[in-house]
Amino acid sequence: VTLFRCAAAALDGGIAFDVDIESADGVIVGVRPAGDGVPDEVFTGVVVPGFADAHSHVFHRGLRGRSHAGGGSFWTWRETMYQLAGRLTPDTLRELAFAAYVEMVCAGVTAVGEFHYLHHAPGGVPYDDPNELGLAVVQAGADAGLVVTLLDVAYLAGGFGQPLAEAQLRFGDGDVHAWAERVEALPADIRTGVAIHSVRAVPPEALPVVARAAAGRPLHVHLSEQPAENEACLAATGLTPTALLHSAGALGPTTSAVHATHLTDDDVRRLGAAGATAVICPTTEADLADGLPRIGDLAGAGVVLALGGDQHVITDPLAQLRGLEYGERLATGRRGSLPPLDLLAAATRNSHDAIGSPAGSLWIGAPADLVELDPASARTAGSLGLQLLLSASAADVRTVVTAGVVQARGGVHVRWGDPGPILARAVERAWTA
Ligand SMILES: [Zn+2]
């Protein structure tokens, strides 16, 4: 048994002071007022559950700080992304994923939903093991000290009625049955889900096949990130993307709609009635000029809110959390639509739930994933209670524990060291090797 003594911990309903959290075999087995046992770790800061990133494209980390010259739009950014996707090898993808996950662990992320669509070699030629790249990403996460849910993406078309473009061939499996067969061959001992890349990339008749293949696991989909997707979907099917997914049986309580930015009132109601989750990716959505999602309306309709880092334009779960509320403030002229406890739930429990991860709370039985935040840094000093969440950044993540084991201290990984040089080398190799 490992005993963590916490000066403050985010339990149900707010902060509790002087709490002992015990873990055994990676799971929380005791939460009680601090006693006289000898602690293995003393946390003088504020302990929150480990964060989850419910929407990651890990290789996009190689684009950070390299896409800001020349203006453009989501669609021109995508061309740069395709250049990187076209170059990656199993080795450079593994190295880049590992580096990005090390950075994420140091920032307090303990589980990731990897929306994985880079499946095959250039030209769409399968590797000897057709799941080589997906499995490389899962292993990279394990090496870095977090758990990856591999959300295997069906990506079959370049648009409504259009074949894949040359740059998209690596993403495709030919048809939805070949996709399903490949997914079925994934090992049973890794955490998996499935994904519809978008209604642009999966033909309407294939949508129910992907939905059925989820078989109770998470089903993720990029939804209405850009107005052009809505216009193309309406022109091709007469339905909005949300209505099309509904008609295909793809909306339910295990569905996560990623972005959910440009929705009609009916779309919002449908997502709420389905008990679906919306995975908002505030820093990426700002970076890509996507627009602001209707956070208050979604929450009011019963949609669960979760968070994703998406293209990893920055790696900071606290910036994602704050971005959720800031976007709503900018859109509505009101402050505090989401109180700190709701923001914490979005960044922890809801995001873990969305990817089938049992972590995300400090309850007995949950994985012992703990993050200690510094309440007395230059950024956070003076913050009251959980309002700390609106002043802290990833630089205030003091200690990260996954499954009862300390993974990072002060932004440095205990096994791998400073993520900076690891990332520098991995990004360099991704573009040149
Ligand atoms: Zn995405």
Side-chain angles (χ1 to χ4, degrees), residues 55 57 222 259 310:
H55 185 70
H57 306 288
H222 286 135
H259 305 304
D310 196 357

Side-chain angles (χ1 to χ4, degrees), residues 55-57 60 115 117 197 222 225 258-259 281 284 310-311:
H55 185 70
S56 162
H57 306 288
H60 293 191
F115 197 100
Y117 59 84
H197 177 274
H222 286 135
E225 181 175 6
V258 180
H259 305 304
C281 309
T284 286
D310 196 357
Q311 57 145 335

Side-chain angles (χ1 to χ4, degrees), residues 311-364:
Q311 57 145 335
H312 304 293
V313 61
I314 62 171
T315 292
D316 186 340
L318 292 145
Q320 308 299 348
L321 172 163
R322 200 159 42 236
L324 191 63
E325 165 66 14
Y326 276 7
E328 189 63 2
R329 289 186 190 187
L330 289 166
T332 64
R334 280 193 308 275
R335 306 178 77 231
S337 297
L338 297 167
L341 261 184
D342 289 5
L343 292 172
L344 183 62
T348 57
R349 192 175 62 241
N350 299 355
S351 290
H352 282 282
D353 281 353
I355 59 172
S357 160
S361 72
L362 303 181
W363 297 330
I364 290 173

Side-chain angles (χ1 to χ4, degrees), residues 408-429:
R409 295 185 195 276
V412 175
H413 200 289
V414 297
R415 266 181 298 164
W416 308 110
D418 178 356
I422 303 172
L423 282 158
R425 181 186 142 85
V427 173
E428 169 74 13
R429 291 231 315 139

Side-chain angles (χ1 to χ4, degrees), residues 1 18 118 162 178 278 305 345 364:
V1 172
D18 299 316
L118 185 62
Q162 289 169 29
L305 297 174
I364 290 173

